[in-house]
Amino acid sequence: MSFEGFPSAALDFYDDLEVDNTKSFWEAHKTTYQSAVLEPMKALTKELEAEFGAAKIFRPYKDVRFSKDKTPYKTHQGAFVAVAPQTGYYVEVSPRGVRTGGGCYWFEPPRLAAFRQAIDHDRFGPELERLLRSAERRGYEVGGDRLKTKPRGFDADHPRIELLKHKSLTLGRMIGFEPVIHTPALLDLVRADWRATRPVTDWIGEHAAI
């Protein structure tokens, strides 16, 4: 099956699911999820597999055991290609359209320590700064969870203190509702976005290793 884009029904499905996040709605519209969301996502990631690797397509069901929000279904469909622990490439379709990204969504404590040591390094730290500035100039947004204060062991006037506050580090771009998301040309946009985030993703994979 070749990728033909996400049909409008995919966005409509998630619009409605946000309003009626119930098992009865899901069961009544499960075939729409499968045909308009799941199958196109499988086709998209399959066509990217040769270059980036096999993707994990996330389950539509939420883990509500430790959450105050007990609604049972996710209101987006994501897929992730791992290149290192918690590090890789991401694509998502939701009521807000299509979003792409890359980087690390969570550092285990030993990897977080290695990540910060690399940022502190006189060569590796400035290299990451240059990569992030280059990505931002091209329209990608730097994200990730951050500490509100400086991490332990580093001075508040460290030249890269804002980077050192990161507990995760991602690059992302919102394609949104652009008509291209409903066409096969979306494949090339996702591929280009993943390539653009690759230098930062590779930096994390190399320097935040344990």
Side-chain angles (χ1 to χ4, degrees):
M1 177 181 175
S2 61
F3 179 68
E4 300 296 330
F6 288 103
S8 297
L11 278 62
D12 293 341
F13 169 79
Y14 281 119
D15 267 331
D16 293 338
L17 184 62
E18 284 192 332
V19 175
D20 187 6
N21 198 314
T22 62
K23 184 176 181 181
S24 59
F25 174 86
W26 182 269
E27 293 297 330
H29 297 86
K30 189 173 182 180
T31 57
T32 301
Y33 166 75
Q34 292 172 335
S35 63
V37 177
L38 183 58
E39 291 306 320
M41 184 63 81
K42 286 181 177 179
L44 173 64
T45 54
K46 188 65 178 179
E47 294 207 43
L48 293 164
E49 184 174 328
E51 179 173 352
F52 297 97
K56 174 182 178 180
I57 298 177
F58 294 107
R59 289 163 50 89
Y61 313 105
K62 291 166 56 178
D63 185 349
V64 299
R65 290 174 297 173
F66 308 107
S67 175
K68 292 181 180 179
D69 179 2
K70 299 299 183 182
T71 53
Y73 303 103
K74 298 174 184 176
T75 55
H76 63 272
Q77 177 63 68
F80 184 72
V81 177
V83 298
Q86 296 86 43
T87 303
Y89 307 101
Y90 183 73
V91 61
E92 173 188 292
V93 61
S94 76
R96 285 151 290 283
V98 173
R99 182 167 67 93
T100 63
C104 181
Y105 63 86
W106 180 67
F107 288 109
E108 296 175 350
R111 293 188 71 232
L112 181 59
F115 173 69
R116 288 179 174 153
Q117 287 175 1
I119 292 173
D120 186 44
H121 192 277
D122 289 341
R123 178 161 64 90
F124 303 142
E127 178 185 27
L128 178 59
E129 285 185 310
R130 289 192 296 272
L131 293 175
L132 292 172
R133 283 197 300 267
S134 176
E136 286 183 303
R137 286 195 296 268
R138 297 172 64 183
Y140 297 91
E141 181 180 356
V142 177
D145 294 330
R146 289 160 42 100
L147 295 171
K148 293 182 179 180
T149 60
K150 70 178 184 68
R152 186 178 305 168
F154 294 95
D155 295 332
D157 61 353
H158 191 287
R160 291 176 292 283
I161 190 62
E162 293 306 316
L163 269 181
L164 286 166
K165 291 179 182 179
H166 276 266
K167 297 187 291 181
S168 60
L169 180 63
T170 60
L171 283 173
R173 185 168 81 91
M174 193 69 187
I175 300 173
F177 301 111
E178 292 297 323
V180 69
I181 72 171
H182 305 304
T183 75
L186 178 61
L187 171 64
D188 290 331
L189 285 187
V190 177
R191 181 184 287 114
D193 285 351
W194 285 6
R195 286 174 176 173
T197 63
R198 179 181 278 152
V200 171
T201 301
D202 285 350
W203 188 98
I204 295 170
E206 178 180 356
H207 297 293
I210 54 174

mmCIF file with all atom_site columns, all heavy atoms in Angstrom, residues 5 50 65 75-76 91 102 108 121 129 131 138 175 182 186:
data_model
loop_
_atom_site.group_PDB
_atom_site.id
_atom_site.type_symbol
_atom_site.label_atom_id
_atom_site.label_alt_id
_atom_site.label_comp_id
_atom_site.label_asym_id
_atom_site.label_entity_id
_atom_site.label_seq_id
_atom_site.pdbx_PDB_ins_code
_atom_site.Cartn_x
_atom_site.Cartn_y
_atom_site.Cartn_z
_atom_site.occupancy
_atom_site.B_iso_or_equiv
_atom_site.pdbx_formal_charge
_atom_site.auth_seq_id
_atom_site.auth_comp_id
_atom_site.auth_asym_id
_atom_site.auth_atom_id
_atom_site.pdbx_PDB_model_num
ATOM 1   N N   . GLY A 1 5   ? -1.515 10.179 1.583  1.00 0.00 ? 5   GLY A N   1
ATOM 2   C CA  . GLY A 1 5   ? -1.887 11.302 2.426  1.00 0.00 ? 5   GLY A CA  1
ATOM 3   C C   . GLY A 1 5   ? -2.897 10.885 3.475  1.00 0.00 ? 5   GLY A C   1
ATOM 4   O O   . GLY A 1 5   ? -3.465 9.790  3.419  1.00 0.00 ? 5   GLY A O   1
ATOM 5   N N   . ALA A 1 50  ? 13.275 2.507  4.879  1.00 0.00 ? 50  ALA A N   1
ATOM 6   C CA  . ALA A 1 50  ? 14.566 2.189  4.279  1.00 0.00 ? 50  ALA A CA  1
ATOM 7   C C   . ALA A 1 50  ? 15.647 3.181  4.709  1.00 0.00 ? 50  ALA A C   1
ATOM 8   O O   . ALA A 1 50  ? 16.807 2.811  4.894  1.00 0.00 ? 50  ALA A O   1
ATOM 9   C CB  . ALA A 1 50  ? 14.443 2.163  2.754  1.00 0.00 ? 50  ALA A CB  1
ATOM 10  N N   . ARG A 1 65  ? -4.026 4.653  34.476 1.00 0.00 ? 65  ARG A N   1
ATOM 11  C CA  . ARG A 1 65  ? -3.889 4.152  35.852 1.00 0.00 ? 65  ARG A CA  1
ATOM 12  C C   . ARG A 1 65  ? -3.455 5.236  36.829 1.00 0.00 ? 65  ARG A C   1
ATOM 13  O O   . ARG A 1 65  ? -3.904 5.273  37.972 1.00 0.00 ? 65  ARG A O   1
ATOM 14  C CB  . ARG A 1 65  ? -2.886 2.999  35.880 1.00 0.00 ? 65  ARG A CB  1
ATOM 15  C CG  . ARG A 1 65  ? -3.371 1.721  35.219 1.00 0.00 ? 65  ARG A CG  1
ATOM 16  C CD  . ARG A 1 65  ? -2.264 0.689  35.168 1.00 0.00 ? 65  ARG A CD  1
ATOM 17  N NE  . ARG A 1 65  ? -1.139 1.157  34.339 1.00 0.00 ? 65  ARG A NE  1
ATOM 18  C CZ  . ARG A 1 65  ? 0.016  0.506  34.240 1.00 0.00 ? 65  ARG A CZ  1
ATOM 19  N NH1 . ARG A 1 65  ? 0.201  -0.617 34.925 1.00 0.00 ? 65  ARG A NH1 1
ATOM 20  N NH2 . ARG A 1 65  ? 0.984  0.962  33.468 1.00 0.00 ? 65  ARG A NH2 1
ATOM 21  N N   . THR A 1 75  ? -6.083 11.460 21.590 1.00 0.00 ? 75  THR A N   1
ATOM 22  C CA  . THR A 1 75  ? -6.695 12.277 20.542 1.00 0.00 ? 75  THR A CA  1
ATOM 23  C C   . THR A 1 75  ? -5.666 12.672 19.484 1.00 0.00 ? 75  THR A C   1
ATOM 24  O O   . THR A 1 75  ? -5.734 13.745 18.887 1.00 0.00 ? 75  THR A O   1
ATOM 25  C CB  . THR A 1 75  ? -7.364 13.524 21.140 1.00 0.00 ? 75  THR A CB  1
ATOM 26  O OG1 . THR A 1 75  ? -6.399 14.237 21.926 1.00 0.00 ? 75  THR A OG1 1
ATOM 27  C CG2 . THR A 1 75  ? -8.538 13.131 22.014 1.00 0.00 ? 75  THR A CG2 1
ATOM 28  N N   . HIS A 1 76  ? -4.722 11.790 19.262 1.00 0.00 ? 76  HIS A N   1
ATOM 29  C CA  . HIS A 1 76  ? -3.741 11.936 18.182 1.00 0.00 ? 76  HIS A CA  1
ATOM 30  C C   . HIS A 1 76  ? -3.169 10.553 17.894 1.00 0.00 ? 76  HIS A C   1
ATOM 31  O O   . HIS A 1 76  ? -3.290 9.642  18.713 1.00 0.00 ? 76  HIS A O   1
ATOM 32  C CB  . HIS A 1 76  ? -2.617 12.896 18.572 1.00 0.00 ? 76  HIS A CB  1
ATOM 33  C CG  . HIS A 1 76  ? -1.815 12.402 19.748 1.00 0.00 ? 76  HIS A CG  1
ATOM 34  N ND1 . HIS A 1 76  ? -2.164 12.666 21.060 1.00 0.00 ? 76  HIS A ND1 1
ATOM 35  C CD2 . HIS A 1 76  ? -0.698 11.623 19.812 1.00 0.00 ? 76  HIS A CD2 1
ATOM 36  C CE1 . HIS A 1 76  ? -1.290 12.096 21.866 1.00 0.00 ? 76  HIS A CE1 1
ATOM 37  N NE2 . HIS A 1 76  ? -0.399 11.441 21.135 1.00 0.00 ? 76  HIS A NE2 1
ATOM 38  N N   . VAL A 1 91  ? 6.356  11.516 14.070 1.00 0.00 ? 91  VAL A N   1
ATOM 39  C CA  . VAL A 1 91  ? 5.334  12.138 13.237 1.00 0.00 ? 91  VAL A CA  1
ATOM 40  C C   . VAL A 1 91  ? 3.988  11.872 13.883 1.00 0.00 ? 91  VAL A C   1
ATOM 41  O O   . VAL A 1 91  ? 3.778  10.809 14.480 1.00 0.00 ? 91  VAL A O   1
ATOM 42  C CB  . VAL A 1 91  ? 5.381  11.615 11.785 1.00 0.00 ? 91  VAL A CB  1
ATOM 43  C CG1 . VAL A 1 91  ? 5.126  10.109 11.709 1.00 0.00 ? 91  VAL A CG1 1
ATOM 44  C CG2 . VAL A 1 91  ? 4.398  12.370 10.901 1.00 0.00 ? 91  VAL A CG2 1
ATOM 45  N N   . GLY A 1 102 ? 12.049 15.460 15.997 1.00 0.00 ? 102 GLY A N   1
ATOM 46  C CA  . GLY A 1 102 ? 13.171 14.572 16.241 1.00 0.00 ? 102 GLY A CA  1
ATOM 47  C C   . GLY A 1 102 ? 13.875 15.009 17.515 1.00 0.00 ? 102 GLY A C   1
ATOM 48  O O   . GLY A 1 102 ? 13.676 16.125 18.003 1.00 0.00 ? 102 GLY A O   1
ATOM 49  N N   . GLU A 1 108 ? 17.093 9.136  30.702 1.00 0.00 ? 108 GLU A N   1
ATOM 50  C CA  . GLU A 1 108 ? 17.299 8.444  31.962 1.00 0.00 ? 108 GLU A CA  1
ATOM 51  C C   . GLU A 1 108 ? 18.445 9.145  32.699 1.00 0.00 ? 108 GLU A C   1
ATOM 52  O O   . GLU A 1 108 ? 19.304 9.770  32.064 1.00 0.00 ? 108 GLU A O   1
ATOM 53  C CB  . GLU A 1 108 ? 17.649 6.981  31.708 1.00 0.00 ? 108 GLU A CB  1
ATOM 54  C CG  . GLU A 1 108 ? 16.527 6.202  31.037 1.00 0.00 ? 108 GLU A CG  1
ATOM 55  C CD  . GLU A 1 108 ? 16.936 4.779  30.693 1.00 0.00 ? 108 GLU A CD  1
ATOM 56  O OE1 . GLU A 1 108 ? 18.142 4.480  30.807 1.00 0.00 ? 108 GLU A OE1 1
ATOM 57  O OE2 . GLU A 1 108 ? 16.049 4.000  30.320 1.00 0.00 ? 108 GLU A OE2 1
ATOM 58  N N   . HIS A 1 121 ? 31.130 20.630 27.608 1.00 0.00 ? 121 HIS A N   1
ATOM 59  C CA  . HIS A 1 121 ? 32.398 20.462 26.891 1.00 0.00 ? 121 HIS A CA  1
ATOM 60  C C   . HIS A 1 121 ? 32.655 21.667 25.977 1.00 0.00 ? 121 HIS A C   1
ATOM 61  O O   . HIS A 1 121 ? 31.744 22.182 25.341 1.00 0.00 ? 121 HIS A O   1
ATOM 62  C CB  . HIS A 1 121 ? 32.337 19.169 26.063 1.00 0.00 ? 121 HIS A CB  1
ATOM 63  C CG  . HIS A 1 121 ? 33.642 18.731 25.519 1.00 0.00 ? 121 HIS A CG  1
ATOM 64  N ND1 . HIS A 1 121 ? 34.177 19.243 24.354 1.00 0.00 ? 121 HIS A ND1 1
ATOM 65  C CD2 . HIS A 1 121 ? 34.548 17.810 25.973 1.00 0.00 ? 121 HIS A CD2 1
ATOM 66  C CE1 . HIS A 1 121 ? 35.328 18.658 24.101 1.00 0.00 ? 121 HIS A CE1 1
ATOM 67  N NE2 . HIS A 1 121 ? 35.587 17.791 25.069 1.00 0.00 ? 121 HIS A NE2 1
ATOM 68  N N   . GLU A 1 129 ? 24.951 24.042 20.082 1.00 0.00 ? 129 GLU A N   1
ATOM 69  C CA  . GLU A 1 129 ? 24.353 25.370 19.930 1.00 0.00 ? 129 GLU A CA  1
ATOM 70  C C   . GLU A 1 129 ? 24.242 25.752 18.465 1.00 0.00 ? 129 GLU A C   1
ATOM 71  O O   . GLU A 1 129 ? 23.205 26.279 18.023 1.00 0.00 ? 129 GLU A O   1
ATOM 72  C CB  . GLU A 1 129 ? 25.193 26.410 20.666 1.00 0.00 ? 129 GLU A CB  1
ATOM 73  C CG  . GLU A 1 129 ? 25.046 26.395 22.174 1.00 0.00 ? 129 GLU A CG  1
ATOM 74  C CD  . GLU A 1 129 ? 25.811 27.534 22.821 1.00 0.00 ? 129 GLU A CD  1
ATOM 75  O OE1 . GLU A 1 129 ? 27.010 27.702 22.495 1.00 0.00 ? 129 GLU A OE1 1
ATOM 76  O OE2 . GLU A 1 129 ? 25.228 28.259 23.633 1.00 0.00 ? 129 GLU A OE2 1
ATOM 77  N N   . LEU A 1 131 ? 24.101 23.760 15.857 1.00 0.00 ? 131 LEU A N   1
ATOM 78  C CA  . LEU A 1 131 ? 23.106 22.912 15.198 1.00 0.00 ? 131 LEU A CA  1
ATOM 79  C C   . LEU A 1 131 ? 21.689 23.397 15.494 1.00 0.00 ? 131 LEU A C   1
ATOM 80  O O   . LEU A 1 131 ? 20.826 23.425 14.616 1.00 0.00 ? 131 LEU A O   1
ATOM 81  C CB  . LEU A 1 131 ? 23.270 21.464 15.662 1.00 0.00 ? 131 LEU A CB  1
ATOM 82  C CG  . LEU A 1 131 ? 24.552 20.748 15.241 1.00 0.00 ? 131 LEU A CG  1
ATOM 83  C CD1 . LEU A 1 131 ? 24.618 19.364 15.883 1.00 0.00 ? 131 LEU A CD1 1
ATOM 84  C CD2 . LEU A 1 131 ? 24.634 20.629 13.726 1.00 0.00 ? 131 LEU A CD2 1
ATOM 85  N N   . ARG A 1 138 ? 15.781 27.607 10.078 1.00 0.00 ? 138 ARG A N   1
ATOM 86  C CA  . ARG A 1 138 ? 15.028 26.910 9.038  1.00 0.00 ? 138 ARG A CA  1
ATOM 87  C C   . ARG A 1 138 ? 13.573 26.665 9.439  1.00 0.00 ? 138 ARG A C   1
ATOM 88  O O   . ARG A 1 138 ? 12.839 25.993 8.717  1.00 0.00 ? 138 ARG A O   1
ATOM 89  C CB  . ARG A 1 138 ? 15.724 25.597 8.705  1.00 0.00 ? 138 ARG A CB  1
ATOM 90  C CG  . ARG A 1 138 ? 17.132 25.786 8.133  1.00 0.00 ? 138 ARG A CG  1
ATOM 91  C CD  . ARG A 1 138 ? 17.878 24.483 7.995  1.00 0.00 ? 138 ARG A CD  1
ATOM 92  N NE  . ARG A 1 138 ? 17.255 23.586 7.038  1.00 0.00 ? 138 ARG A NE  1
ATOM 93  C CZ  . ARG A 1 138 ? 17.698 22.345 6.781  1.00 0.00 ? 138 ARG A CZ  1
ATOM 94  N NH1 . ARG A 1 138 ? 18.751 21.875 7.445  1.00 0.00 ? 138 ARG A NH1 1
ATOM 95  N NH2 . ARG A 1 138 ? 17.084 21.592 5.891  1.00 0.00 ? 138 ARG A NH2 1
ATOM 96  N N   . ILE A 1 175 ? 3.170  21.209 10.552 1.00 0.00 ? 175 ILE A N   1
ATOM 97  C CA  . ILE A 1 175 ? 2.706  21.371 9.178  1.00 0.00 ? 175 ILE A CA  1
ATOM 98  C C   . ILE A 1 175 ? 1.244  21.793 9.186  1.00 0.00 ? 175 ILE A C   1
ATOM 99  O O   . ILE A 1 175 ? 0.788  22.541 8.321  1.00 0.00 ? 175 ILE A O   1
ATOM 100 C CB  . ILE A 1 175 ? 2.906  20.067 8.378  1.00 0.00 ? 175 ILE A CB  1
ATOM 101 C CG1 . ILE A 1 175 ? 4.392  19.691 8.359  1.00 0.00 ? 175 ILE A CG1 1
ATOM 102 C CG2 . ILE A 1 175 ? 2.372  20.208 6.958  1.00 0.00 ? 175 ILE A CG2 1
ATOM 103 C CD1 . ILE A 1 175 ? 4.677  18.332 7.750  1.00 0.00 ? 175 ILE A CD1 1
ATOM 104 N N   . HIS A 1 182 ? -2.999 15.984 2.810  1.00 0.00 ? 182 HIS A N   1
ATOM 105 C CA  . HIS A 1 182 ? -3.961 15.053 2.223  1.00 0.00 ? 182 HIS A CA  1
ATOM 106 C C   . HIS A 1 182 ? -3.452 14.433 0.928  1.00 0.00 ? 182 HIS A C   1
ATOM 107 O O   . HIS A 1 182 ? -4.215 13.763 0.223  1.00 0.00 ? 182 HIS A O   1
ATOM 108 C CB  . HIS A 1 182 ? -5.276 15.777 1.947  1.00 0.00 ? 182 HIS A CB  1
ATOM 109 C CG  . HIS A 1 182 ? -5.865 16.470 3.138  1.00 0.00 ? 182 HIS A CG  1
ATOM 110 N ND1 . HIS A 1 182 ? -6.149 15.803 4.325  1.00 0.00 ? 182 HIS A ND1 1
ATOM 111 C CD2 . HIS A 1 182 ? -6.214 17.767 3.340  1.00 0.00 ? 182 HIS A CD2 1
ATOM 112 C CE1 . HIS A 1 182 ? -6.647 16.670 5.194  1.00 0.00 ? 182 HIS A CE1 1
ATOM 113 N NE2 . HIS A 1 182 ? -6.698 17.858 4.620  1.00 0.00 ? 182 HIS A NE2 1
ATOM 114 N N   . LEU A 1 186 ? 3.099  14.703 1.177  1.00 0.00 ? 186 LEU A N   1
ATOM 115 C CA  . LEU A 1 186 ? 3.440  14.792 2.597  1.00 0.00 ? 186 LEU A CA  1
ATOM 116 C C   . LEU A 1 186 ? 4.632  13.903 2.927  1.00 0.00 ? 186 LEU A C   1
ATOM 117 O O   . LEU A 1 186 ? 5.435  14.229 3.801  1.00 0.00 ? 186 LEU A O   1
ATOM 118 C CB  . LEU A 1 186 ? 2.232  14.393 3.453  1.00 0.00 ? 186 LEU A CB  1
ATOM 119 C CG  . LEU A 1 186 ? 2.471  14.397 4.969  1.00 0.00 ? 186 LEU A CG  1
ATOM 120 C CD1 . LEU A 1 186 ? 2.853  15.773 5.485  1.00 0.00 ? 186 LEU A CD1 1
ATOM 121 C CD2 . LEU A 1 186 ? 1.238  13.870 5.713  1.00 0.00 ? 186 LEU A CD2 1
#
